[in-house]
């Protein structure tokens, strides 16, 4: 227990010595600087994610509407393709002649 306290005290003294060092490169190695840098990175990441979330929320309704329009368009095109293939098949069956049936 006494050894642990001495070890902790030594770590604190080393951290203080690094923090008080006038050399900026040495200061970057201090735990305080490392944690401040990580906090800043996480703050920036949080801001970016909030901005992205805002964009997604703003675009959700228009995107859903566009998806519905796209589904309608694909249904319409499938219907047109079906009608065209039936017309072509009918023309083949009748020999390609235009026959008026009364």
């Amino acid at each position: 227990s006494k050894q642990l306290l001495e070890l902790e005290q030594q770590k604190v003294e080393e951290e203080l010595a690094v923090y008080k060092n006038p050399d900026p490169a040495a200061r970057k190695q201090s735990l305080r600087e490392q944690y401040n840098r990580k906090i800043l990175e996480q703050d920036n990441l949080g801001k970016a994610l909030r901005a992205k979330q805002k964009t997604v929320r703003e675009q959700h309704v228009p995107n859903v509407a566009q998806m519905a329009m796209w589904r309608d368009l694909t249904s319409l095109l499938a219907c047109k393709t079906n009608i065209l293939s039936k017309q072509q098949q009918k023309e083949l069956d009748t020999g390609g002649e235009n026959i008026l049936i009364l």
Side-chain angles (χ1 to χ4, degrees):
S1 151
K2 185 177 179 181
Q3 287 177 333
L4 288 175
L5 289 175
E6 289 174 357
L7 187 61
E8 289 296 319
Q9 182 63 33
Q10 181 182 356
K11 287 182 183 179
V12 168
E13 289 172 3
E14 288 173 0
E15 179 69 17
L16 281 172
V18 170
Y19 184 69
K20 290 179 181 179
N21 192 332
D23 182 21
R27 267 210 212 142
K28 287 184 180 179
Q29 301 303 318
S30 75
L31 290 175
R32 180 178 177 170
E33 290 297 322
Q34 290 175 17
Y35 287 134
N36 282 338
R37 191 169 44 249
K38 287 182 182 183
I39 289 170
L40 183 63
E41 287 173 3
Q42 292 302 313
D43 282 344
N44 290 337
L45 182 61
K47 287 177 187 176
L49 288 173
R50 280 188 294 279
K52 187 171 185 172
Q53 182 182 39
K54 180 182 175 188
T55 303
V56 167
R57 282 186 177 157
E58 289 172 350
Q59 294 178 352
H60 177 70
V61 172
N63 287 347
V64 169
Q66 187 175 16
M67 285 176 54
M69 287 187 285
W70 187 257
R71 270 193 307 273
D72 293 345
L73 178 63
T74 56
S75 296
L76 181 62
L77 291 175
C79 185
K80 284 187 168 201
T81 304
N82 191 15
I83 290 170
L84 181 62
S85 68
K86 284 182 182 181
Q87 280 181 337
Q88 288 173 344
Q89 184 62 40
K90 192 174 185 178
E91 287 178 8
L92 288 176
D93 290 345
T94 60
E97 300 172 4
N98 290 331
I99 301 173
L100 178 62
I101 302 175
L102 299 175

